[in-house]
Amino acid sequence: MTNIGEIMNKCNSSTFNLNLDKYYPNSHKIYHKGNIYKDLLVSMRQIKLSNGELVPVYDTSGNYTETNKIIDINQGLAPNRKKFYLSEKPLTQLAYAKKGIITPEMEYVAIRENMALDVTLGASKTKFNYPITPEFVREQILQGKAIIPANINHPELEPMIIGRNFLVKVNANIGNSAVSSSLSEEVEKLIWAVTWGADTVMDLSTGKDISITREYIIRNSPVPIGTVPIYQALEKVGGIAEDLSWEVMREVLIEQAKQGVDYFTIHAGVLKEHIPLTQNRVTGIVSRGGAIMAKWCMAHNKQNFLYTNFSEICEIMQQYDVSFSLGDGLRPGCIADANDEAQFAELKTQGELNKIAYSFDVQTMNEGPGHVPLDKIEENMQKQLSWCNEAPFYTLGPLVIDFAAGYDHIASAIGAANIANYGCAMLCYVTPKEHLGLPNKKDVKDGLIAYKIAAFAADLAKGHPAAYYRNLQMSKARFEFRWDDQFNLSIDPVVAREFHDETLPKDAAKSAHFCSMCGPKFCSMKIHQEIKNFSAANIK
Amino acid sequence: MTNIGEIMNKCNSSTFNLNLDKYYPNSHKIYHKGNIYKDLLVSMRQIKLSNGELVPVYDTSGNYTETNKIIDINQGLAPNRKKFYLSEKPLTQLAYAKKGIITPEMEYVAIRENMALDVTLGASKTKFNYPITPEFVREQILQGKAIIPANINHPELEPMIIGRNFLVKVNANIGNSAVSSSLSEEVEKLIWAVTWGADTVMDLSTGKDISITREYIIRNSPVPIGTVPIYQALEKVGGIAEDLSWEVMREVLIEQAKQGVDYFTIHAGVLKEHIPLTQNRVTGIVSRGGAIMAKWCMAHNKQNFLYTNFSEICEIMQQYDVSFSLGDGLRPGCIADANDEAQFAELKTQGELNKIAYSFDVQTMNEGPGHVPLDKIEENMQKQLSWCNEAPFYTLGPLVIDFAAGYDHIASAIGAANIANYGCAMLCYVTPKEHLGLPNKKDVKDGLIAYKIAAFAADLAKGHPAAYYRNLQMSKARFEFRWDDQFNLSIDPVVAREFHDETLPKDAAKSAHFCSMCGPKFCSMKIHQEIKNFSAANIK
């Protein structure tokens, strides 16, 4: 970890305080204590309902939403995690899991995922029939089925887990490109993203100043940060793919690992022999990293240097507990190319690499598509589970049609919900600007909300008790005409209230037993209450 | 059919001309001629690409988007369909199908669905391996697997077909309620809805003046119009459900059938004995029609009069070829209530009613949920196909989570795409205002676009050649950096262009071989072109 004071003083308007009331009315932060590690404080958000009930929900916003907390991004967040390190130089989470040790991070995520189990749920209502205990977390990591991406040099982070037996997670991409964007904007995007539920954030910057941008992002991030190190390597060689080398890449990996990046996308599965398989595709290679490595292979007529040096990459990542996100450089770029030979050849290679990483105690997930029609999504998940030893799958979308430009957050949320239901552990969001331009704040929020819906849809389908509990609260509030509670329990309370108030702005309407859609005479729920009264008298 | 001149002269600013260029640049209307019926003119939209290719696409906007056509809604659309009637007093489409007769409507929809088959597609690319011929249409109707909702008194309509072996259709609801909305606004919403792809429109008005509103809507609609006649019946008895009677309902059915309504939602499947099954639900009965009929049953301690008079309803509808949309009055109103005993009891009753309707030559589809988690969607479709003799299924969403208020168009588009992929034939859209208020124009458009994406996703998954062809054009335009073509092929060209131009507004960027997302150095597609050049020299 670099000393933030030395390099960071670049932002003028650098303080942030996200008053929770502004985005999540009637919510406040709560902290749940640990059992094994008594001083652990696991942060959550709690919604207070009008009937006095308290509904705890998962929260990714870190300290930014604590009451009256003012955070100076030139200082960074407090390195709270550090005091729980099990040694001066901690091992990877996977190494601890192999030794049978439950780490503070494992207990943290167990409590974080588990919040609703205190609540009487009617357990029979869900098919999610195993308890999320710290030991369960350890076992899932030991089996390679889940990862806790948490670089030992990112002590500002609140641990989270990625695996199909936990809540489905969502990643948001930020980062400047050569064409647009500035440093302070990127940090603001980070904070904005975690406010709207980003579980991890990838910094995909490709312009100048990418080291300093990344430093600001990591030091101010309560969530894991991922990067694609080949982008920085390419900058170092002036943008000429042929000039890349293992030595340049190695330097970048070490710099970023030391800085605290939590996971690296590494396109080591793009083999030279796979490239001809893309020749007849409609849209060829659409991954930036994949295209860069393919070009290097062709120019040098050599095997991908990320593949040939994979063990050394593992050694670097193992020292800092950086997790792998094995890139899918040959993912399909359109429906017509989905599930083709090139794509699956790379996935199979990813599976080999998973095994090598595991032997180095490096936690690993696999990246996946992209663009896949609804009928071909399940095959992706099945092959990944089978070939990659059930490691967490992390997909971009997939988009289920290609011509929804301007609405690709919706076209891809449909695919994302499906693949998550089949077992995908994390979804990389897509914004409405995908394929068209760089997302602004509104796009980031719209993308995240679409993806939180997709993730929750899968959580509910899989029967995660926390998801079921939160969802049930909304249904009850709806039936009991508790309008304020409906707004506050929604994914975006302020918009829900605004939409309601457009037609019925009066305060009295907040307790009215009807709404503007049907009016008082046609309200089915009102009539149903009357039917219940009949029934009590006549039927039973 | 009432004489429009007699009752319609209420709108002041009553003329409409939707210049296609405004919403769909580089598009124009084309008309495809019939083979059996030589004078048939089947309307489509054709997109002209920059490389000279012409891409025909399905179009629901009727004459409103014809160049320089000005339509006065006080006059209504031309009754073009009438000149093709096979007799003075035509039979239902199902009756003709039983007689082995291919009607003009059958040929019309065959051509309309079939447009892409002229185009070389690489047929092996899709698994949709039967040709959509007029005879195929007749067979599907004969088997009860598809319907052409087309009241003989709605000659302004352009025929369309609903069935799972055709393109998935989308319905948009409009209509005023007691709380809000005016006559001219409703007609404007209709035109707006068909501009954005509504295949049918339901008029759910419940306020005063519902007859005149409906008259305006039907006379100006190129798409089938559906209604829920019980709403008008309830108005007639002052909003008191207990005062409803078969006589009142009968009068309403005859009025609306004569007026030209193409399909009726009839809640005849809500039986008295089903009502106790809803007592332990979280959200009870959430269908307006279902709640009204349940209340009537309880108040009178009698069986649902729509069920006991079902044969007479069939006789009325058969005279005008009004199709049934058998209502799902007991659909679940939340995830917790999905797929319960009450819901499936009603669906089974719907299946009985389908058989009766068939015996009267009345075309029939079944309505379905509602709110269903992802893992329970397929069961809905399977049971409907099995119990209702493979009649078309028509569902509202379903929403896959309950707490996305403000974004329910997305939460439900996920469910809609899935159920359509399993075989649902028509999707009733949900707008962002669902559960909160009445949709405005923006909401109607947002809801329709989300649902067109869901419908296309299912079409692609099922391999419909027209969907595959349109989608492929977009992928090719993307790979070849034909930016204008990408915009024009998109579901909403104007928004796609606006989003692109936010970051790269210059005209030169429209032919640039990169975009603002990655910038020139990191463009994977650009690099892939270079790789192709390498390959040509080195690999082959």
Side-chain angles (χ1 to χ4, degrees), chain A residues 159-200:
Chain A
M160 53 77 73
I161 192 160
I162 303 170
R164 74 183 192 286
N165 294 318
F166 302 92
L167 291 167
V168 175
K169 303 305 187 296
V170 172
N171 172 72
N173 292 334
I174 61 172
N176 55 359
S177 83
V179 177
S180 178
S181 223
S182 86
L183 175 68
S184 61
E185 272 175 32
E186 291 310 316
V187 180
E188 213 183 318
K189 271 189 208 158
L190 161 75
I191 298 173
W192 186 243
V194 298
T195 303
W196 292 109
D199 292 289
T200 78

Coordinates of all heavy atoms in Angstrom, one line a residue, chain A residues 159-200:
Chain A
P159 N -15.3 -6.6 3.7 CA -15.3 -7.8 3.0 C -16.6 -8.3 2.4 O -17.7 -8.0 3.1 CB -14.8 -8.8 4.0 CG -14.0 -8.0 5.0 CD -14.8 -6.7 5.1
M160 N -16.6 -8.8 1.3 CA -17.8 -9.4 0.6 C -17.4 -10.7 -0.1 O -16.2 -10.9 -0.3 CB -18.4 -8.4 -0.4 CG -17.5 -7.8 -1.4 SD -17.1 -8.9 -2.8 CE -18.7 -8.8 -3.7
I161 N -18.4 -11.5 -0.4 CA -18.1 -12.8 -0.9 C -18.8 -13.0 -2.3 O -20.0 -12.5 -2.5 CB -18.5 -14.0 0.1 CG1 -17.9 -15.3 -0.4 CG2 -20.0 -14.1 0.3 CD1 -17.8 -16.3 0.7
I162 N -18.1 -13.7 -3.2 CA -18.7 -14.0 -4.5 C -18.8 -15.5 -4.7 O -17.7 -16.1 -4.7 CB -17.8 -13.3 -5.6 CG1 -17.7 -11.8 -5.4 CG2 -18.4 -13.6 -7.0 CD1 -16.6 -11.2 -6.3
G163 N -20.0 -16.0 -4.8 CA -20.1 -17.4 -5.0 C -21.6 -17.7 -5.2 O -22.4 -16.9 -4.7
R164 N -21.9 -18.8 -5.9 CA -23.4 -19.0 -6.2 C -24.2 -19.4 -5.0 O -25.5 -19.4 -5.2 CB -23.5 -20.0 -7.4 CG -23.3 -21.4 -7.1 CD -23.4 -22.2 -8.4 NE -23.5 -23.7 -8.1 CZ -22.5 -24.4 -7.7 NH1 -21.3 -23.9 -7.6 NH2 -22.6 -25.7 -7.5
N165 N -23.6 -19.7 -3.9 CA -24.4 -20.0 -2.7 C -24.6 -18.8 -1.8 O -24.9 -19.0 -0.6 CB -23.9 -21.2 -2.0 CG -23.9 -22.5 -2.8 OD1 -25.0 -22.7 -3.5 ND2 -22.9 -23.3 -2.9
F166 N -24.3 -17.7 -2.4 CA -24.5 -16.4 -1.6 C -25.3 -15.5 -2.5 O -25.7 -15.8 -3.6 CB -23.1 -15.8 -1.3 CG -22.3 -16.8 -0.5 CD1 -21.4 -17.6 -1.1 CD2 -22.4 -16.8 0.9 CE1 -20.6 -18.5 -0.4 CE2 -21.6 -17.7 1.6 CZ -20.7 -18.6 1.0
L167 N -25.6 -14.3 -1.9 CA -26.4 -13.3 -2.7 C -25.6 -13.0 -4.0 O -24.4 -12.9 -4.0 CB -26.5 -12.0 -1.9 CG -27.5 -12.0 -0.7 CD1 -27.3 -10.8 0.2 CD2 -28.9 -12.1 -1.2
V168 N -26.3 -12.9 -5.1 CA -25.7 -12.5 -6.4 C -25.2 -11.1 -6.3 O -25.8 -10.2 -5.8 CB -26.8 -12.6 -7.5 CG1 -26.2 -12.2 -8.8 CG2 -27.3 -14.1 -7.6
K169 N -23.9 -10.9 -6.8 CA -23.3 -9.6 -6.7 C -23.3 -8.9 -8.0 O -23.4 -9.5 -9.1 CB -21.9 -9.8 -6.2 CG -21.8 -10.5 -4.8 CD -22.6 -9.8 -3.7 CE -22.4 -10.4 -2.4 NZ -22.8 -11.8 -2.2
V170 N -23.1 -7.6 -8.0 CA -23.1 -6.7 -9.2 C -21.9 -5.9 -9.2 O -21.5 -5.3 -8.2 CB -24.4 -5.8 -9.2 CG1 -24.3 -4.8 -10.4 CG2 -25.6 -6.6 -9.3
N171 N -21.2 -5.9 -10.3 CA -20.0 -5.0 -10.5 C -20.4 -3.8 -11.4 O -21.1 -4.0 -12.4 CB -18.9 -5.8 -11.2 CG -17.8 -4.8 -11.6 OD1 -17.0 -4.3 -10.7 ND2 -17.6 -4.5 -12.9
A172 N -19.8 -2.6 -11.1 CA -20.0 -1.5 -11.9 C -18.6 -1.1 -12.5 O -17.6 -1.1 -11.7 CB -20.5 -0.3 -11.1
N173 N -18.5 -0.8 -13.8 CA -17.3 -0.3 -14.4 C -17.2 1.2 -14.3 O -18.2 1.8 -14.7 CB -17.2 -0.8 -15.8 CG -17.0 -2.3 -16.0 OD1 -16.5 -2.9 -15.1 ND2 -17.5 -2.8 -17.1
I174 N -16.1 1.7 -14.0 CA -15.9 3.1 -14.1 C -14.5 3.3 -14.8 O -13.9 2.3 -15.2 CB -15.9 3.9 -12.8 CG1 -14.9 3.4 -11.8 CG2 -17.3 3.8 -12.2 CD1 -14.8 4.3 -10.5
G175 N -14.0 4.5 -14.9 CA -12.7 4.7 -15.5 C -12.7 5.6 -16.7 O -13.7 5.7 -17.4
N176 N -11.6 6.4 -16.8 CA -11.5 7.3 -17.9 C -11.0 6.6 -19.1 O -10.3 5.6 -19.0 CB -10.7 8.5 -17.5 CG -9.3 8.1 -17.0 OD1 -9.0 7.0 -16.9 ND2 -8.5 9.1 -16.6
S177 N -11.3 7.2 -20.3 CA -10.6 6.7 -21.5 C -9.9 7.9 -22.1 O -9.9 9.0 -21.6 CB -11.6 6.1 -22.5 OG -12.2 7.2 -23.3
A178 N -9.2 7.6 -23.2 CA -8.4 8.7 -23.8 C -9.3 9.8 -24.2 O -8.9 11.0 -24.3 CB -7.7 8.1 -25.1
V179 N -10.6 9.5 -24.5 CA -11.4 10.6 -25.0 C -12.0 11.5 -24.0 O -12.3 12.6 -24.2 CB -12.6 9.9 -25.9 CG1 -13.5 10.9 -26.4 CG2 -11.9 9.1 -27.0
S180 N -12.2 11.0 -22.8 CA -13.1 11.8 -21.9 C -12.7 11.5 -20.4 O -11.9 10.6 -20.1 CB -14.5 11.4 -22.1 OG -15.4 12.1 -21.3
S181 N -13.2 12.2 -19.5 CA -13.3 12.0 -18.0 C -12.1 12.5 -17.3 O -11.0 12.7 -17.8 CB -13.3 10.5 -17.8 OG -14.2 10.2 -16.7
S182 N -12.3 12.9 -16.0 CA -11.2 13.4 -15.1 C -11.2 12.7 -13.8 O -12.0 11.9 -13.4 CB -11.5 14.9 -14.8 OG -12.4 15.0 -13.7
L183 N -10.1 12.9 -13.0 CA -9.8 12.2 -11.8 C -10.9 12.3 -10.8 O -11.4 11.3 -10.3 CB -8.5 12.8 -11.2 CG -8.1 12.3 -9.8 CD1 -7.7 10.8 -9.9 CD2 -6.9 13.1 -9.3
S184 N -11.3 13.6 -10.4 CA -12.3 13.7 -9.3 C -13.7 13.1 -9.7 O -14.4 12.6 -8.9 CB -12.5 15.2 -8.9 OG -12.9 15.9 -10.1
E185 N -13.9 13.2 -11.1 CA -15.2 12.6 -11.6 C -15.2 11.1 -11.3 O -16.2 10.5 -11.0 CB -15.3 12.8 -13.1 CG -16.0 14.0 -13.5 CD -15.9 14.2 -15.0 OE1 -15.9 13.2 -15.8 OE2 -15.8 15.3 -15.5
E186 N -14.0 10.4 -11.5 CA -14.0 9.0 -11.3 C -14.3 8.6 -9.8 O -15.0 7.6 -9.6 CB -12.6 8.4 -11.7 CG -12.4 8.5 -13.3 CD -13.6 7.9 -14.1 OE1 -14.1 6.9 -13.7 OE2 -14.0 8.6 -15.0
V187 N -13.7 9.3 -8.9 CA -14.0 9.0 -7.5 C -15.4 9.3 -7.2 O -16.1 8.5 -6.4 CB -13.0 9.9 -6.5 CG1 -13.4 9.5 -5.1 CG2 -11.6 9.6 -6.8
E188 N -16.0 10.3 -7.7 CA -17.4 10.6 -7.5 C -18.2 9.4 -8.1 O -19.2 9.0 -7.5 CB -17.7 11.9 -8.2 CG -18.8 12.7 -7.4 CD -19.2 13.9 -8.1 OE1 -18.3 14.6 -8.7 OE2 -20.4 14.2 -8.2
K189 N -17.8 8.9 -9.2 CA -18.6 7.8 -9.8 C -18.5 6.6 -8.9 O -19.5 5.8 -8.8 CB -18.0 7.4 -11.2 CG -18.6 8.2 -12.4 CD -18.1 7.6 -13.7 CE -18.1 8.6 -14.8 NZ -17.2 8.3 -15.9
L190 N -17.3 6.3 -8.3 CA -17.2 5.2 -7.4 C -18.2 5.4 -6.3 O -18.9 4.4 -5.9 CB -15.7 5.2 -6.8 CG -15.5 4.4 -5.5 CD1 -15.5 2.9 -5.8 CD2 -14.3 4.9 -4.8
I191 N -18.2 6.5 -5.6 CA -19.1 6.7 -4.5 C -20.5 6.6 -4.9 O -21.4 6.0 -4.2 CB -18.8 8.1 -3.8 CG1 -17.4 8.2 -3.3 CG2 -19.8 8.4 -2.7 CD1 -16.9 9.5 -2.8
W192 N -20.8 7.1 -6.1 CA -22.2 7.0 -6.6 C -22.5 5.6 -6.9 O -23.6 5.1 -6.5 CB -22.2 7.8 -8.0 CG -23.5 8.0 -8.6 CD1 -23.8 7.5 -9.9 CD2 -24.7 8.7 -8.2 NE1 -25.1 7.8 -10.2 CE2 -25.7 8.5 -9.2 CE3 -25.0 9.3 -7.0 CZ2 -26.9 9.1 -9.0 CZ3 -26.2 9.9 -6.9 CH2 -27.2 9.8 -7.9
A193 N -21.6 4.8 -7.4 CA -21.9 3.4 -7.7 C -22.1 2.6 -6.4 O -23.1 1.8 -6.4 CB -20.7 2.8 -8.4
V194 N -21.4 2.8 -5.3 CA -21.6 2.1 -4.1 C -22.9 2.5 -3.4 O -23.6 1.7 -2.7 CB -20.4 2.1 -3.1 CG1 -19.2 1.4 -3.8 CG2 -20.1 3.5 -2.6
T195 N -23.3 3.8 -3.7 CA -24.6 4.3 -3.1 C -25.7 3.5 -3.7 O -26.7 3.2 -3.1 CB -24.7 5.8 -3.4 OG1 -23.6 6.5 -2.9 CG2 -26.0 6.3 -2.8
W196 N -25.6 3.1 -5.0 CA -26.7 2.4 -5.7 C -26.4 0.9 -5.7 O -27.1 0.2 -6.5 CB -26.9 3.0 -7.1 CG -27.4 4.4 -7.0 CD1 -26.8 5.5 -7.2 CD2 -28.7 4.7 -6.5 NE1 -27.6 6.6 -6.9 CE2 -28.8 6.1 -6.5 CE3 -29.8 4.0 -6.0 CZ2 -30.0 6.8 -6.0 CZ3 -31.0 4.7 -5.6 CH2 -31.0 6.1 -5.6
G197 N -25.5 0.4 -4.9 CA -25.5 -1.0 -4.7 C -24.4 -1.8 -5.4 O -24.4 -3.0 -5.5
A198 N -23.4 -1.1 -6.0 CA -22.3 -1.8 -6.6 C -21.5 -2.6 -5.5 O -21.1 -2.1 -4.6 CB -21.3 -0.9 -7.3
D199 N -21.4 -3.9 -5.8 CA -20.7 -4.8 -4.8 C -19.2 -4.8 -5.0 O -18.4 -5.0 -4.1 CB -21.2 -6.2 -4.9 CG -22.6 -6.3 -4.5 OD1 -22.9 -6.2 -3.3 OD2 -23.5 -6.5 -5.3
T200 N -18.8 -4.6 -6.3 CA -17.4 -4.4 -6.6 C -17.4 -3.3 -7.7 O -18.4 -3.1 -8.4 CB -16.6 -5.6 -7.1 OG1 -16.9 -5.9 -8.5 CG2 -16.9 -6.9 -6.3

